[in-house]
Amino acid sequence: MCALIDELPQAYLERMHLFLGDEFESFLATYQQKSLAGLRVNTLKISPDEFHRITPFQLQGLEWCPSGFVVHGDGRPGKHPYHAAGLYYLQEPSAMAVVEVLDPQPGEKVLDLAAAPGGKATHIAARLQGRGILVANEIHPGRVRELAQNLERCGARNAIILNETPQRLADYFGAYFDRVLLDAPCSGEGMFRRSKLARQEWSEEAVHSCAIRQKGLLPQAARLVRPGGRLVYSTCTFSVEENEEVIWSFLKEHPEFELIERTNRFPFADAWGDDSDNPLKGKGIYRILPHQHVGEGHFIAGLHRITGGEWREIPPYRPKTLSNRDSQRVKQLMEDICTFPFDPLRLSIEGDAVYFIPPSATQLSGLRVHRPGWWIGTLKKDRFVPAHSLALGLPIANLHKYLSFPAEHPQILAYLHGESFGPDPFPANLMDGWLVVCVDGFPLGLGKLSKGVLKNAYPHGLRWIG
Ligand code: SAM
């Protein structure tokens, strides 16, 4: 037996044995296998086919997610310029099934209630294809920043990022969203293979207190779903208390919801529990188990609001208009760098930051807002400084001032390390000022050209070290 199995809590093993029965030994054997990395191609920037043509990694497709792959071999996908350019998100393979069950459609209003660090939120953004709105919420202030960084890297231009409690969101929005995801905080049994901390922190009391919290969160998430809308509850844990029991106690109290139909698209196990007259069986509950499918394991339940819901009239977001002088500065710089059709009426100034507000955004009065839209830059005393997220949100087709190098080019590595280039023979027609640095035609960040030297504006916190 390997050391990892010895570290698994005895009470956890007994519980798993009870539910898995004959399958327990093969489940246990997965703790002796290496967990495989997953990579989801960001279809906001590149199609899976195109990515296949340029990828240096050995990829194997996932049955349940058309943009999802397992990465084999020794590559380091987290340390590749394509990652920095947001061409993919590194995500555990079973986690990629969650948004596939949520099934957001372009143009819809979608809420991710517990979104940091952003695995599922970036997946939702990709599925929306820039149309409609994604509200990504995270309760912990310290985790919102990472969520924003990931959404920005992936080029999500129609995301609003909030730092609120589920209750305050439900009180504010009511039954507003077409789809709501509650990827609930849980005891993390599915993380045991990867995380020593998860193994150490587990206890039966922790399972119990997580279940109490989840039973409180799911009804708040449900309040946010419009009639006919979809609610998905997911965890990365196996315990029945945090999964089937949460769904069962919710459905008993909320007859206005039902489980969605099960579909063959998802080849996963059914709900656990007694087979006789179990109302959760044969419906839209999926258990992804590591001895049956690649990945660490997830629980996913899809629910549908049949009726009801508290309706609120929420006025559209009213952008805080820029002064004529500031508006001119922004316009001038934008026109220098890109051809993106910025509607000046959708620009809003919040403090000194300038945002592009997505067309279907609502007013957010009284809510803790981290980003009301796409952050495009900051107004300093006498100038407008473009934001990193502006560059990452633009396709090369919208740029007319850029430098692009192949992924292996030493200047790409130098750029990611925060170095300045030059003096170098830059193209003669390149004027001094801001431009976008690209890897193989995909924006990586900004630089400022001045007298033959490109000053590096790659954000300090993102720079590669070593
Ligand atoms: N969906 C994320 C992703 O795919 O990257 C992972 C979410 S993680 C499983 C659960 C999140 O719930 C954490 O970010 C945590 O901060 C948040 N959380 C913890 N307690 C919460 C509470 N009482 N209400 C809402 N969210 C909470």
Side-chain angles (χ1 to χ4, degrees):
M1 285 249 183
C2 77
L4 195 153
I5 289 187
D6 294 340
E7 283 179 19
L8 295 174
Q10 194 53 37
Y12 161 72
L13 290 175
E14 282 162 17
R15 293 156 70 97
M16 291 305 284
H17 199 170
L18 195 69
F19 276 100
L20 287 167
D22 293 347
E23 292 179 42
F24 179 68
E25 287 307 320
S26 52
F27 172 78
L28 202 57
T30 62
Y31 289 103
Q32 284 163 313
Q33 296 154 12
K34 208 170 139 245
S35 78
L36 294 170
L39 169 163
R40 185 172 40 72
V41 173
N42 176 17
T43 52
L44 279 178
K45 300 203 177 202
I46 190 169
S47 71
D49 282 351
E50 199 188 333
F51 185 70
H52 250 297
R53 280 195 289 277
I54 64 167
T55 185
F57 309 117
Q58 210 183 311
L59 302 179
Q60 178 199 343
L62 284 173
E63 200 180 340
W64 52 89
C65 177
S67 52
F69 299 88
V70 169
V71 189
H72 294 286
D74 304 325
R76 291 177 67 199
K79 265 280 184 188
H80 193 281
Y82 292 161
H83 181 256
L87 300 200
Y88 52 85
Y89 188 95
L90 294 176
Q91 190 175 26
E92 188 279 296
S94 70
M96 297 183 203
V98 174
V99 172
E100 295 298 326
V101 175
L102 185 70
D103 200 23
Q105 302 296 316
E108 286 185 333
K109 298 174 288 215
V110 184
L111 169 67
D112 184 348
L113 199 50
K120 282 128 199 153
T122 52
H123 194 175
I124 295 169
R127 289 285 307 261
L128 288 178
Q129 284 298 302
R131 308 207 314 266
I133 198 123
L134 163 64
V135 176
N137 180 66
E138 170 55 44
I139 195 168
H140 286 299
R143 289 168 61 86
V144 183
R145 198 178 290 265
E146 193 185 359
L147 171 64
Q149 266 175 12
N150 281 324
L151 281 165
E152 286 168 358
R153 185 170 53 81
C154 290
R157 302 198 295 231
N158 57 338
I160 289 171
I161 304 176
L162 303 179
N163 173 213
E164 270 303 345
T165 66
Q167 162 126 26
R168 275 172 51 87
L169 289 184
D171 290 347
Y172 185 83
F173 285 106
Y176 177 77
F177 293 94
D178 298 304
R179 308 208 184 223
V180 173
L181 170 62
L182 172 61
D183 188 34
C186 68
S187 64
E189 292 164 353
M191 299 308 293
F192 282 1
R193 193 156 58 163
R194 291 181 169 200
S195 162
K196 193 178 177 82
L197 190 67
R199 300 194 289 274
Q200 285 171 340
E201 286 188 341
W202 186 92
S203 67
E204 293 198 291
E205 296 73 54
V207 169
H208 182 66
S209 62
C210 284
I212 292 174
R213 183 160 53 172
Q214 290 147 352
K215 284 179 181 160
L217 289 173
L218 187 55
Q220 298 302 338
R223 289 175 63 203
L224 289 146
V225 183
R226 69 153 169 88
R230 182 170 291 191
L231 168 63
V232 165
Y233 172 85
S234 60
T235 71
C236 63
T237 208
F238 302 117
S239 77
V240 169
E241 292 95 318
E242 296 178 71
N243 294 317
E244 283 84 352
E245 284 184 13
V246 174
I247 299 301
W248 180 226
S249 78
F250 172 77
L251 285 173
K252 276 194 294 191
E253 301 279 315
H254 294 85
E256 69 279 18
F257 278 84
E258 63 185 4
L259 282 162
I260 60 173
E261 291 302 311
R262 204 176 168 76
T263 132
N264 293 339
R265 231 197 102 195
F266 304 115
F268 309 128
D270 204 344
W272 281 356
D274 213 344
D275 271 355
S276 54
D277 293 336
N278 185 335
L280 303 185
K281 293 269 185 183
K283 303 283 187 169
I285 288 188
Y286 301 101
R287 271 193 173 268
I288 312 176
L289 299 164
H291 61 291
Q292 294 176 347
H293 294 99
V294 60
E296 304 308 297
H298 252 77
F299 173 92
I300 309 171
L303 299 146
H304 168 84
R305 181 191 274 283
I306 310 161
T307 174
E310 311 150 43
W311 167 251
R312 307 253 192 293
E313 186 72 49
I314 312 172
Y317 195 94
R318 219 165 338 111
K320 298 188 186 102
T321 348
L322 282 71
S323 69
N324 275 349
R325 207 172 55 139
D326 288 340
S327 187
Q328 243 351 83
R329 279 190 191 130
V330 174
K331 184 167 177 281
Q332 180 66 56
L333 191 126
M334 290 304 187
E335 287 176 358
D336 272 2
I337 306 180
C338 65
T339 56
F340 187 82
F342 281 98
D343 174 357
L345 297 176
R346 300 234 56 85
L347 295 184
S348 186
I349 174 113
E350 317 276 337
D352 57 2
V354 180
Y355 292 93
F356 180 76
I357 306 297
S360 37
T362 65
Q363 231 173 63
L364 303 166
S365 324
L367 296 175
R368 281 193 300 264
V369 180
H370 186 72
R371 297 262 194 274
W374 180 20
W375 180 30
I376 60 166
T378 306
L379 278 163
K380 304 274 176 175
K381 234 190 290 168
D382 55 354
R383 67 212 150 94
F384 175 65
V385 178
H388 178 67
S389 42
L390 170 72
L392 273 280
L394 290 168
I396 197 163
N398 280 144
L399 297 176
H400 50 70
K401 213 167 156 206
Y402 63 88
L403 282 170
S404 186
F405 303 98
E408 316 71 43
H409 197 287
Q411 280 186 328
I412 286 295
L413 213 56
Y415 179 74
L416 291 169
H417 278 96
E419 293 166 22
S420 293
F421 318 156
D424 212 60
F426 290 113
N429 58 351
L430 213 52
M431 310 267 284
D432 275 5
W434 289 102
L435 55 77
V436 177
V437 177
C438 301
V439 54
D440 287 318
F442 296 97
L444 264 185
L446 291 155
K448 195 172 185 186
L449 191 61
S450 171
K451 298 185 187 125
V453 176
L454 185 78
K455 293 190 187 140
N456 195 313
Y458 195 58
H460 283 271
L462 300 179
R463 290 182 181 181
W464 290 10
I465 299 163

